[in-house]
Structures are given as C-alpha cells and as structure tokens.
Amino acid sequence: MNKIFYWFFACSFLIVTFEMPSCLAKSYMSLATDQTALLALKTRITADPSRILARNWTSSSSVCSWIGVTCSLRHQRVAALNLSYMSLSGTIPPQLGHLSFLVSLNLTSNLFVGALPQELSLLYRLKFISLRLNNFTGDIPPLFGQLPKLEYLNLRNNSFTGSIPKSLSNLTNLQFLDLTYNSLHGEIPQELGRLQSLQFLVVQFNRLSGAIPLAIFNISTLVSIAFTGNELSGSLPTDMCHNLRNLDRILLSQNYLTGSIPTNFSKCSQLRSLSISYNSFSGQIPAEIGSLTSLQHLYLGGNNLNGTLPHVIGSLESLVVFGAERNQIGGSVDFNVFMNMSSLQTLLLWRNKFIGNISRDVGNLTVLTSLQLHENYLTGLIPPELGRLYQLEELLLERSSDPSMPCLSLSRRTSS
Ligand SMILES: *[C@@H]1O[C@H](CO)[C@@H](O)[C@H](O)[C@H]1NC(C)=O
Ligand SMILES: *[C@@H]1O[C@H](CO)[C@@H](O)[C@H](O)[C@H]1NC(C)=O
Ligand SMILES: *[C@@H]1O[C@H](CO)[C@@H](O)[C@H](O)[C@H]1NC(C)=O
Ligand SMILES: *[C@@H]1O[C@H](CO)[C@@H](O)[C@H](O)[C@H]1NC(C)=O
Ligand SMILES: *[C@@H]1O[C@H](CO)[C@@H](O)[C@H](O)[C@H]1NC(C)=O
Ligand SMILES: *[C@@H]1O[C@H](CO)[C@@H](O)[C@H](O)[C@H]1NC(C)=O
Ligand SMILES: *[C@@H]1O[C@H](CO)[C@@H](O)[C@H](O)[C@H]1NC(C)=O
Ligand SMILES: *[C@@H]1O[C@H](CO)[C@@H](O)[C@H](O)[C@H]1NC(C)=O
Ligand SMILES: *[C@@H]1O[C@H](CO)[C@@H](O)[C@H](O)[C@H]1NC(C)=O
Ligand SMILES: *[C@@H]1O[C@H](CO)[C@@H](O)[C@H](O)[C@H]1NC(C)=O
Ligand SMILES: *[C@@H]1O[C@H](CO)[C@@H](O)[C@H](O)[C@H]1NC(C)=O
Ligand SMILES: *[C@@H]1O[C@H](CO)[C@@H](O)[C@H](O)[C@H]1NC(C)=O
C-alpha cells in the first residue's frame, strides 16, 4: 500500500514536471518573488505625488511592464529598477534583497530615508547603484563590500554618517565611487588602494581628516581624484604623478594640506584640472608645472605661496582659468607670459605682493572676462590697451589694504 502511494506520487510529480517545462515553472515562481519584493517596496512608499506607482504597479499586470522595471530577456526576471526623479518618499524594505537577478538599482533624486537593509547584500549580480539625491541616514553599510560585481556606486547628496567602510576595498571591479555631500568623517582607508579598477574617486564636502594615503596615488586607473571641502592634512608626495598617467583632474581645494606643491608632474600629462586652492601650501610655484600642457584650470589661490610667477607657466597654452590670488607672490607681472593662452578667461592675481606697472601687453589677452589684480602694490598708469578687452566683465584694480603702499587708484567693475 505504502509502495503504491509512493509510486503514485512519484509518477504524478514526474508527469507534472514533464508537461510543464521546469524552466517555465521556475521563472514563473521567481518572477512572482520579484513581484512580491516590488509590492513590498510599494507599501513602503509614503508619498508618490504623481501616483505613478499607485496607478501602474498593480498585480493585474506583469511586473515586467511596470514603470521603472526592466526584465532580462534571458531569465525573465527583474534586472533593472530605475525610479529616478519620481519624487517618491519612503524606506527600503528587506524584501528588495530578493530581486536576485537585479543588475542595476537607480533611485536617483527621490526622498528615500532611513538605513539600507542588510539584505541588499544578497544582490550579488548588482553592477550599478545610484542612491544620489535622497536622504538615507546611518553608516555606509559594509554590505556594499559583498557585491563583487559592483562597478558604479553613487551615494552623493544623502545624510550618511560614520567613516568610509574598509570593506569597499573588496570591490575590485569598482570604477566609480562618489560619496560627496554626506557627513562622513575619519580617515580615508588606505585599503582603498586595492581598488585597482577605480577611475573616479569623488568624496567632496564631507569631514574626512588625516593625510591622503599614499596607496591612493598608486591606483593607476584613476581619472579623477576629488576631495574638495574636507579636513585633510599632511602634504602631497613629490612623485604624486608617478602612477597616475590617466589623471584628468585632481581637486583638493578647501582642506588643510601643507608642504610644497609637488614638483614632479611629468607623468600627469593628461591633467586638465589642478585645484589645490585654499589650503596651506607654501614655497614657490614649481617650474615643473609648466610640463602640464593640457591644463585648463589651475587653482592655486589661498595658500602661502611666495617667490615669483615662473615664466614656464607660459607653456600652459590651454589654460582657461589661472587663479593664484591670496598668496605672497611678488615681483612684477609679465603679461607676456600669458600671451599664448588663447582661451584664458579668468586671471586672478589679487592680494599678493606684485609690484611694478601693468604693461601694455595686457591688451593682448583678448578673451579675458575677469581680471582681478586688486590688493597688490602695482603702480603707474592704467594702460589704454585694457580697452581692447571687449569680453571683460570684471576688472578689479583697487588698492592694497596696506595704506603705506603706493597703488593704482582705480577700482572699477564693468558688466556687459
Ligand atoms: C504601466 O506603464 C507602462 C509604461 O508606461 C505601460 O506600458 C503599462 O501599460 C502601464 N500599466 C498599467 C497597468 O497602467
Ligand atoms: C532612468 O529613468 C530616467 C527618468 O525616467 C530616464 O531619463 C533615464 O534614461 C533612465 N535610464 C535608464 C538607463 O534606463
Ligand atoms: C539613473 O538615473 C539617472 C537620472 O535619471 C540617469 O541619468 C541614468 O541614466 C540612470 N542610470 C541607470 C543605469 O539607470
Ligand atoms: C534628512 O534627514 C535629516 C535627519 O533625519 C533631516 O534633519 C533633514 O532635514 C532631512 N533633509 C531633507 C532634505 O529632507
Ligand atoms: C569580500 O568579498 C568576499 C567575496 O565576495 C566576501 O565573501 C566577503 O564577505 C567580502 N568582505 C567584506 C568585508 O565585505
Ligand atoms: C547637494 O547637497 C548640497 C549640500 O547640502 C547642496 O548645496 C546641493 O544643492 C545639493 N545638490 C542638489 C542637486 O540638490
Ligand atoms: C604601490 O604599488 C606597488 C606595486 O603594485 C607596491 O609595491 C607598493 O607597495 C604600492 N605602494 C603603496 C603606498 O601602496
Ligand atoms: C621626475 O620623474 C622622472 C621620471 O620618473 C625622474 O627621472 C626625475 O628624476 C623626477 N624628477 C624629480 C625632480 O623628482
Ligand atoms: C618662501 O616660503 C618658504 C616656505 O615657507 C620659506 O622658507 C622662504 O623663506 C620664503 N621665501 C621668501 C623669499 O620669503
Ligand atoms: C609663445 O609661443 C611662441 C611661438 O611658439 C614662442 O616663441 C614663445 O616663447 C611663447 N611664449 C611664451 C610666454 O611661452
Ligand atoms: C600684443 O599686442 C601688440 C599691440 O598692442 C602687438 O604689437 C603685439 O604683436 C602683440 N603681441 C602678441 C604676442 O600677440
Ligand atoms: C611702466 O613703467 C615704465 C618705467 O617705469 C614706464 O616707462 C611706463 O610708461 C610705465 N607704463 C605704464 C603703462 O604705466
């Protein structure tokens, strides 16, 4: 009797699985899992002003037809979720971790809040995560370190606190990391040096402190390093560029960096933006900077630089902005130096120790829109050639606040 029942059940099971191809059964079941996960997300939505999900995400239609949902052709499972710019408020349910075929999660520009559930670490196929422009709080969860395929992680403009988790160094495929505009503190983990695919390392406007680990300058894939607006200290390695031959921009303004400007730039030959203004760099502007012939933006203002303007900056023929204001640079300004910079729009040399007069050559800088020479010790006449600067919108020549110094007695703002 028992045996007969056994055979009966075994056979019927076989017949059922034979008649209904197992892959179909599996995909039906699994797509149902995805539906459950997304409906769980829908119940966590507290505001949906355009009623997009309320109207469209209904169990009567296939998940794959829902707005923001893309299914993979091969597995018929949810592969991408793009809810960007939908003005949704709410929290992320743990069930989202059941979207096991998810490759891309895009929640850019909504008002999701709260912490990220640990279950997201189950999404091992994820390559792309953007939570940019939300209000997630809590620490950046170590779970991201468990997503081995992750290539893109953007957490910009949230309210994450704590420090950068060391576990991120696990992401050997990561190409893009942006943690700008959060409230992160602590040091930059030197373990990030293991991210040997990283191209964009962007952590601006947080409260990171300590020195930039040498290991960062060892990531030869880097195209962009940006730490503007933190509390970083220490100095930059002289041979900073040794392994950074692809570097396009390095933005380190508004920190507490000290020491001299690195001298060996020869290998950063692709560099287009060098921004180290508003730190405490000292010494002279190194002549080696002249080898950065692709530079378009050079910001050196707000440091303790002295000496004179090196003549070699004349080789930076692509410069659009040159800022060296608020330093102690002296000597006369040789406007001839800027003669070959046919795109130079902004020249900021104010609050330094420049002496001498403004030479007629200034009239050759014909695309200048802003010329700021005020608060120096310049003397003599205002050359009529300034009148040739037709694009000029801003001209500042006012005297130094030091009353004992002679000066040009003109202060004028024009606007076109
Ligand atoms: C949901 O939106 C998609 C894309 O606009 C549309 O194709 C689908 O028919 C909508 N479904 C429902 C139930 O409104
Ligand atoms: C994501 O959604 C936004 C807004 O609907 C759209 O502009 C963008 O093209 C989508 N991106 C992808 C990769 O689907
Ligand atoms: C993510 O959303 C942003 C903003 O809508 C869009 O530009 C981008 O293409 C999206 N990317 C992906 C992979 O969905
Ligand atoms: C983000 O959340 C924090 C803390 O919960 C809150 O103080 C802040 O006002 C929120 N910001 C936005 C833009 O909603
Ligand atoms: C690093 O990745 C491995 C393999 O994917 C994983 O087992 C481990 O938990 C990860 N470590 C951390 C700290 O996330
Ligand atoms: C990102 O956050 C910063 C600082 O809170 C804010 O100034 C900026 O406007 C935000 N960006 C966007 C696009 O909202
Ligand atoms: C830089 O990389 C080289 C070669 O991969 C390695 O030997 C060296 O220890 C690294 N330096 C730092 C500071 O990480
Ligand atoms: C700059 O680097 C080059 C090549 O790595 C090297 O030959 C040279 O000595 C370095 N110069 C300085 C001043 O460090
Ligand atoms: C320039 O600054 C350096 C470093 O602060 C200092 O040693 C040097 O004496 C200064 N040179 C002049 C001419 O003031
Ligand atoms: C500008 O270019 C000319 C021609 O290449 C060159 O002779 C001159 O030295 C350059 N001027 C400066 C300041 O680099
Ligand atoms: C600069 O302008 C003067 C005329 O004011 C002209 O004679 C001279 O050739 C110009 N120099 C260059 C390098 O263009
Ligand atoms: C600059 O100074 C020199 C010598 O002191 C003088 O000959 C020349 O006229 C002055 N030029 C201007 C534009 O003030």
Side-chain angles (χ1 to χ4, degrees), residues 325-375:
E325 78 285 2
R326 293 181 75 142
N327 281 294
Q328 282 109 47
I329 307 169
S332 55
V333 185
D334 178 3
F335 288 96
N336 247 313
V337 163
F338 304 105
M339 220 50 77
N340 293 341
M341 301 179 186
S342 54
S343 309
L344 190 67
Q345 292 177 3
T346 302
L347 183 54
L348 310 174
L349 298 176
W350 56 279
R351 199 178 294 173
N352 275 290
K353 296 187 166 167
F354 291 114
I355 54 168
N357 61 21
I358 301 177
S359 65
R360 294 160 175 267
D361 304 321
V362 74
N364 295 45
L365 309 180
T366 48
V367 299
L368 273 186
T369 58
S370 180
L371 177 60
Q372 305 192 18
L373 302 174
H374 54 294
E375 297 184 57

Side-chain angles (χ1 to χ4, degrees), residues 82-375:
N82 177 4
L83 303 181
S84 59
Y85 289 97
M86 288 193 179
S87 306
L88 304 172
S89 305
T91 54
I92 304 297
Q95 289 92 328
L96 212 67
H98 298 159
L99 295 175
S100 46
F101 281 76
L102 200 66
V103 175
S104 171
L105 175 62
N106 195 347
L107 303 180
T108 303
S109 195
N110 286 287
L111 255 178
F112 284 102
V113 298
L116 295 168
Q118 176 59 33
E119 284 77 1
L120 294 186
S121 67
L122 300 170
L123 301 176
Y124 69 95
R125 285 187 167 89
L126 271 178
K127 288 184 179 171
F128 178 101
I129 299 179
S130 176
L131 309 179
R132 185 168 63 92
L133 291 164
N134 280 283
N135 200 7
F136 287 108
T137 50
D139 289 357
I140 294 178
L143 70 88
F144 292 118
Q146 294 168 37
L147 305 173
K149 296 189 173 169
L150 207 57
E151 293 171 4
Y152 182 105
L153 180 59
N154 194 338
L155 306 180
R156 194 182 176 105
N157 277 74
N158 278 281
S159 297
F160 285 110
T161 49
S163 49
I164 301 176
K166 290 189 172 65
S167 60
L168 291 185
S169 64
N170 223 2
L171 302 176
T172 48
N173 292 307
L174 198 66
Q175 293 167 19
F176 182 100
L177 178 65
D178 190 345
L179 307 175
T180 299
Y181 287 126
N182 281 284
S183 300
L184 304 174
H185 65 260
E187 301 196 359
I188 302 166
Q190 67 167 39
E191 288 82 355
L192 293 189
R194 280 164 47 201
L195 299 175
Q196 292 290 333
S197 304
L198 199 61
Q199 293 177 23
F200 294 83
L201 175 56
V202 186
V203 192
Q204 308 200 84
F205 303 103
N206 280 276
R207 289 190 292 116
L208 300 177
S209 56
I212 302 173
L214 290 181
I216 299 294
F217 301 103
N218 221 4
I219 307 176
S220 59
T221 44
L222 279 173
V223 169
S224 179
I225 299 177
F227 289 116
T228 308
N230 281 284
E231 296 167 10
L232 297 170
S233 55
S235 56
L236 297 176
T238 331
D239 59 349
M240 185 184 89
C241 289
H242 190 70
N243 283 317
L244 295 175
R245 11 194 111 214
N246 300 311
L247 202 65
D248 176 79
R249 54 170 208 168
I250 180 160
L251 312 181
L252 303 174
S253 293
Q254 300 175 50
N255 281 286
Y256 305 132
L257 298 168
T258 53
S260 47
I261 299 177
T263 47
N264 206 335
F265 285 109
S266 53
K267 292 202 169 148
C268 280
S269 57
Q270 316 282 315
L271 205 59
R272 286 189 298 167
S273 295
L274 173 59
S275 181
I276 55 172
S277 54
Y278 298 91
N279 279 285
S280 296
F281 287 104
S282 55
Q284 308 208 8
I285 299 175
E288 289 82 353
I289 223 163
S291 66
L292 297 176
T293 51
S294 302
L295 268 190
Q296 294 174 2
H297 300 97
L298 178 56
Y299 291 97
L300 304 174
N303 284 294
N304 300 318
L305 302 174
N306 62 16
T308 54
L309 285 182
H311 210 263
V312 290
I313 60 171
S315 9
L316 306 181
E317 297 185 3
S318 306
L319 270 192
V320 177
V321 180
F322 179 58
E325 78 285 2
R326 293 181 75 142
N327 281 294
Q328 282 109 47
I329 307 169
S332 55
V333 185
D334 178 3
F335 288 96
N336 247 313
V337 163
F338 304 105
M339 220 50 77
N340 293 341
M341 301 179 186
S342 54
S343 309
L344 190 67
Q345 292 177 3
T346 302
L347 183 54
L348 310 174
L349 298 176
W350 56 279
R351 199 178 294 173
N352 275 290
K353 296 187 166 167
F354 291 114
I355 54 168
N357 61 21
I358 301 177
S359 65
R360 294 160 175 267
D361 304 321
V362 74
N364 295 45
L365 309 180
T366 48
V367 299
L368 273 186
T369 58
S370 180
L371 177 60
Q372 305 192 18
L373 302 174
H374 54 294
E375 297 184 57

